[in-house]
């Protein structure tokens, strides 16, 4: 328990001092990106990991918030009002999204979320009078909460860090609460949960809402970070990218999506410096991880760690057969 | 008045292409229980390969029909290969299989961009089908009519294959109850490869003959995949009749939507899907909910 506490403390100290030891503004910006993508991945993980519902339309929800912020600012609203209204619009959208896609689970859920994501993309792309079409929307300024201007790179980082820590704490509480346990119950044994008197559909619906809330929060940070939003943000590639973050890190763990977001953002940033072919690499990593390490990096390394430290007398080194990992 | 007629012909033509695309998608879904997210890519790869053959490699040009046959066979082989080498490694794990097809579709899109570049390629209409056909007072473009005829022939052919042959009976058995099919001695895993290759080939074929109408461009895969998805959700998975009816409906909504409500065309396209999901989740002609 103490090692865990120590590790948490070190991680916290490292995160807190990023602007001090990072070699330049560029890297602090990368760190901010990692943090808000980690919030996005945490949100998707609530569905993928804990509810067992794989969504391929989350970039659409992400885009709704981002466009809503942009549009409200264009209407001349102040930052707090714009953010608040955007979050409200997003939650309503998430509720509709969830009500439609929860008609089904498993593969059906994937198909419906994919289709809904494509609708949102299509709206962003074609509804030019509202979204500016391919030209997108630009945001002129970043907000200045309590007099701290977020235009400053370090201040933006700290604001992102605070929201990230709050989101992480909220997710941890959510997952460990009785509700989280019930959610995992509906993932593993929906029929038994139903027989026990749980309202399976409602539990999944609330999980969607929580996931959508985290998605919207990360989208607000994103749209203020780039100060620009275009239909590209809503594309299927974007949904797949977040899903890759969740799956590569390890779905159904708290740390997994954060590790995955770090991996994807770093690889993307580093690789795009050398080659333009990020999509090819994304696809290749996806295929490789699904086939070779289906439960992700965090559970994979944790298993390795246990194997090294706990020399079990029977069948040492025997990997427990996980989902789909057949030779 | 004439505008409506042109729109209607275009809609049926597009519906025909969609049928060729979605019939394979639906069969793969029916049998393997996965939405094959590479289906748009197969359409686009087929279109690119076909266009390359038609426009000529090193001055050697090819008839569009010959090109279509060659490209169809190539893509069908690619599909079979992907099924054998990748999807086969994940037996019974549908989620992993879907994710693999998603990864493959990104790789295919980027490879096409590397090989053929970002500029759209327009494929010439075959000389014998240029011009128009007169039916009484009405005039139709010949190539579009040809596509309608081809799609109709394929629909009948596929129906005969599924309903009147031994292979078709085995596929239907696999769609209805894979476990039982195995018990009575049908090698369902072999059917997977056959159906995957068949679906890939059909998608590629649709891509090639659609080339002169749609032109071939990066992003074609992303445009076609959602359409196939909508058709199959609408018509029901694993049902040939479902893909047929769904394709025609979507063909009409797509063309009329583009003409009448250009800003909301995409949204209108998905409305029937939403209605079906709400009222009849298994699709118009489907037997089980996905």
């Amino acid at each position: 328990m103490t090692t865990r506490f120590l590790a948490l403390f070190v991680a916290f100290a490292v995160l807190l001092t990023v602007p001090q030891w990072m070699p330049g503004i560029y890297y602090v910006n990368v760190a901010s990106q990692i943090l808000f993508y980690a919030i996005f991945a945490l949100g998707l993980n609530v569905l993928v990991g804990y509810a067992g519902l794989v969504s391929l339309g989350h970039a659409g929800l992400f885009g709704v918030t981002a466009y809503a912020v942009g549009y409200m600012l264009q209407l001349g609203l102040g930052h707090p009002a714009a953010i608040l209204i955007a979050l409200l619009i997003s939650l309503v959208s998430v509720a509709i999204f969830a009500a439609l896609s929860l008609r089904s689970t498993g593969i059906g859920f994937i198909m419906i979320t994919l289709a809904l994501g494509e609708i949102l993309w299509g709206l962003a792309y074609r509804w030019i009078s509202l979204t500016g079409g391919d030209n997108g929307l630009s945001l002129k300024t970043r907000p200045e909460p309590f007099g701290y201007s977020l235009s400053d790179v370090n201040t933006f980082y700290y604001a992102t860090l605070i929201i990230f820590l709050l989101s992480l704490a909220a997710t941890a509480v959510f997952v460990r609460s009785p509700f989280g346990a019930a959610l995992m119950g509906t993932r593993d044994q929906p029929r038994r949960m139903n027989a026990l008197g749980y309202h399976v559909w409602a539990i999944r619906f609330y999980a969607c809402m929580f996931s959508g809330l985290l998605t919207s929060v990360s989208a607000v940070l994103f749209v203020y970070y780039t100060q620009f939003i275009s239909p590209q943000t809503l594309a299927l590639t974007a949904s797949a990218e977040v899903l890759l973050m969740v799956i590569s890190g390890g779905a159904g763990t708290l740390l997994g999506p954060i590790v995955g977001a770090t991996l994807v953002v770093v690889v993307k940033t580093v690789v795009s410096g050398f080659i333009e072919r990020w999509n090819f690499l994304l696809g290749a990593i996806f295929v490789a991880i699904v086939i070779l390490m289906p439960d992700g990096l965090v559970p994979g390394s944790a298993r390795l760690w246990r194997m090294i430290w706990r020399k079990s007398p029977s069948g040492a080194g025997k990997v427990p057969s996980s989902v789909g990992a057949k030779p | 008045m004439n505008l409506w007629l042109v729109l209607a012909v275009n809609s049926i033509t597009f519906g025909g292409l969609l049928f060729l695309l979605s019939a394979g998608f639906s069969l793969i879904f029916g049998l393997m229980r996965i939405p094959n997210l590479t289906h748009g890519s197969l359409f686009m790869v087929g279109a690119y390969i076909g266009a390359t053959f038609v426009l000529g490699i090193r001055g050697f040009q090819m008839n569009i029909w010959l090109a279509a046959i060659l490209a169809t066979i190539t893509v069908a082989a690619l599909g079979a290969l992907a099924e054998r080498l990748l999807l086969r490694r994940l037996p019974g794990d549908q989620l992993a299989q879907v994710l693999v097809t998603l990864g493959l579709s990104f790789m295919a899109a980027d490879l096409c961009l590397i090989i053929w570049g970002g500029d759209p390629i327009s494929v010439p209409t075959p000389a014998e089908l240029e011009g128009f056909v007169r039916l009484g007072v009405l005039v139709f473009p010949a190539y579009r009519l040809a596509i309608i005829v081809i799609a109709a022939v394929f629909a009948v052919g596929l129906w005969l294959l599924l309903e009147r042959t031994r292979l078709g009976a085995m596929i239907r058995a696999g769609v209805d109850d894979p476990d039982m099919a195995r018990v009575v001695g049908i090698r369902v895993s072999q059917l997977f490869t056959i159906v995957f290759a068949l679906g890939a080939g059909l998608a590629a074929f649709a891509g090639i003959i659609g080339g002169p109408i749609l032109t071939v461009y990066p992003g074609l895969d992303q445009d076609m995949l959602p359409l196939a998805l909508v058709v199959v959700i609408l018509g029901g998975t694993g049902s040939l009749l479902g893909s047929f009816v769904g394709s025609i409906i979507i063909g009409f909504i797509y063309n009329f939507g583009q003409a009448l409500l250009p800003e909301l065309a995409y949204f209108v396209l998905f409305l029937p899907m939403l209605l079906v999901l709400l009222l009849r989740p298994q699709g118009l002609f489907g037997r089980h909910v996905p």
Side-chain angles (χ1 to χ4, degrees):
Chain A
M1 206 59 219
T2 39
T3 27
R4 169 169 283 190
F5 189 74
L6 201 71
L8 269 179
F9 183 76
V10 170
F12 186 66
V14 168
L15 282 176
L16 206 60
T17 53
V18 158
Q20 273 74 51
W21 54 264
M22 277 290 186
I25 292 176
Y26 175 76
Y27 297 96
V28 178
N29 272 333
V30 173
S32 303
Q33 276 189 53
I34 291 177
L35 287 181
F36 62 69
Y37 274 117
I39 300 176
F40 192 1
L42 277 172
L44 183 59
N45 185 34
V46 169
L47 282 188
V48 174
Y50 295 104
L53 299 164
V54 178
S55 161
L56 272 177
H58 256 52
L61 298 174
F62 188 81
V64 167
T65 317
Y67 269 111
V69 171
Y71 191 69
M72 290 304 147
L73 289 179
Q74 276 201 340
L75 289 183
L77 265 66
H79 288 292
I83 294 174
L84 220 65
I85 295 178
L87 286 180
L88 273 177
I89 293 177
S90 312
L91 284 180
V92 173
S93 319
V94 176
I96 299 173
F97 190 94
L100 287 172
S101 35
L102 282 177
R103 302 283 300 178
S104 188
T105 55
I107 300 294
F109 188 84
I110 298 187
M111 282 172 66
I112 299 171
T113 51
L114 197 160
L116 290 174
E118 294 288 317
I119 297 184
L120 292 171
W121 173 83
L123 281 178
Y125 187 61
R126 293 276 173 79
W127 201 347
I128 296 167
S129 50
L130 191 73
T131 64
D134 229 1
N135 297 327
L137 294 178
S138 300
L139 280 68
K140 291 187 187 66
T141 53
R142 285 180 181 173
E144 300 185 2
F146 312 113
Y148 296 101
S149 168
L150 292 186
S151 309
D152 179 58
V153 174
N154 290 347
T155 320
F156 189 87
Y157 172 79
Y158 283 119
T160 312
L161 181 62
I162 292 170
I163 297 174
F164 166 75
L165 291 174
L166 286 175
S167 308
L168 181 60
T171 313
V173 169
F174 179 87
V175 167
R176 285 177 192 165
S177 67
F179 184 83
L183 181 64
M184 285 180 257
T186 65
R187 173 193 65 189
D188 300 328
Q189 293 290 351
R191 278 175 145 187
R192 283 189 200 171
M193 289 300 285
N194 200 9
L196 284 172
Y198 287 91
H199 196 321
V200 173
W201 191 90
I203 291 174
R204 287 179 174 148
F205 181 80
Y206 291 130
C208 281
M209 292 305 287
F210 183 64
S211 167
L213 179 66
L214 288 180
T215 305
S216 307
V217 167
S218 67
V220 170
L221 289 168
F222 164 85
V223 77
Y224 278 119
Y225 173 81
T226 54
Q227 295 184 275
F228 174 69
I229 164 89
S230 74
Q232 200 54 41
T233 317
L234 284 76
L236 177 58
T237 341
S239 287
E241 240 173 71
V242 206
L243 189 58
L244 179 63
M245 290 176 192
V246 175
I247 291 174
S248 64
T253 60
L254 272 180
L255 198 58
I258 303 169
V259 172
T262 314
L263 180 85
V264 171
V265 172
V266 168
V267 170
K268 196 177 170 180
T269 318
V270 171
V271 166
S272 58
F274 299 102
I275 49 171
E276 293 171 51
R277 303 289 163 221
W278 159 242
N279 274 349
F280 186 82
L281 199 69
L282 172 75
I285 298 178
F286 222 120
V287 172
I289 285 193
V290 168
I291 290 183
L292 301 176
M293 209 186 232
D295 47 1
L297 289 173
V298 170
S301 345
R303 211 171 53 204
L304 215 64
W305 183 259
R306 275 199 306 275
M307 262 165 49
I308 294 167
W309 286 102
R310 205 182 296 156
K311 294 177 195 95
S312 57
S314 64
K318 194 154 190 246
V319 180
S321 67
S322 51
V323 210
K326 298 273 159 55
Chain B
M1 187 59 208
N2 211 352
L3 169 79
W4 298 104
L5 200 66
V6 171
L7 269 178
V9 171
N10 287 354
S11 306
I12 299 175
T13 313
F14 195 66
L17 285 179
L18 278 182
F19 169 71
L20 291 177
L21 179 71
S22 61
F25 188 86
S26 176
L27 278 181
I28 294 174
F29 198 118
L31 192 65
M32 303 175 66
R33 304 282 193 273
I34 57 163
N36 171 27
L37 300 185
T38 54
H39 225 70
S41 320
L42 295 168
F43 183 90
M44 182 171 74
V45 170
Y48 267 123
I49 295 180
T52 313
F53 285 151
V54 170
L55 296 174
I57 321 166
R58 299 194 182 145
F60 174 69
Q61 289 189 339
M62 217 179 263
N63 178 320
I64 191 169
W65 308 115
L66 189 60
I69 293 168
L70 276 180
T72 305
I73 293 171
T74 316
V75 175
L78 284 176
L81 217 62
E83 200 280 329
R84 278 270 154 185
L85 297 181
L86 295 171
L87 298 182
R88 185 58 62 83
R89 300 175 66 104
L90 306 160
D93 190 354
Q94 283 132 350
L95 173 60
Q97 292 181 337
V98 176
L99 295 178
V100 166
T101 61
L102 181 67
L104 286 178
S105 77
F106 291 144
M107 292 167 74
D110 230 18
L111 273 181
C112 285
L113 200 59
I114 294 175
I115 298 175
W116 285 285
D119 295 329
I121 302 175
S122 49
V123 184
T125 312
E128 66 270 23
L129 289 173
E130 269 177 27
F132 297 88
V133 174
R134 254 174 213 290
L135 290 176
V137 283
L138 305 170
V139 182
F140 299 106
Y143 189 68
R144 288 183 183 266
L145 285 190
I147 289 184
I148 296 174
V149 172
I150 292 172
V153 169
F154 266 82
V156 173
L158 276 173
W159 181 79
L160 286 175
L161 174 75
L162 283 177
E163 299 290 330
R164 292 282 181 270
T165 66
R166 193 176 163 77
L167 177 68
M170 295 199 308
I171 293 176
R172 277 183 292 133
V175 170
D176 275 351
D177 194 334
D179 297 330
M180 217 34 131
R182 274 198 192 91
V183 170
V184 298
I186 297 170
R187 290 184 64 181
V188 177
S189 63
Q190 214 165 45
L191 288 182
F192 282 7
T193 315
I194 294 172
V195 166
F196 210 86
L198 179 73
L202 280 173
F205 183 73
I208 307 155
I209 64 167
I213 302 177
L214 302 168
T215 72
V216 193
Y217 52 92
L220 183 60
D221 54 343
Q222 296 269 352
D223 284 355
M224 297 311 284
L225 175 68
L227 294 178
L229 206 67
V230 176
V231 167
V232 170
I233 293 181
L234 195 64
T237 55
S239 154
L240 201 62
L241 181 64
S243 332
F244 187 79
V245 175
S247 301
I248 301 294
I249 296 177
I250 294 299
F252 269 91
I253 297 179
Y254 185 80
N255 279 284
F256 279 83
Q258 298 274 23
L260 303 176
L261 291 166
E263 285 212 318
L264 297 177
Y266 225 75
F267 186 66
V268 176
L269 189 61
F270 285 90
L271 271 183
M273 182 197 82
L274 296 183
L275 280 180
V276 162
L277 281 176
L278 290 175
L279 303 174
R280 199 180 151 79
Q282 69 270 46
L284 294 176
F285 299 95
R287 259 175 283 178
H288 26 234
V289 181

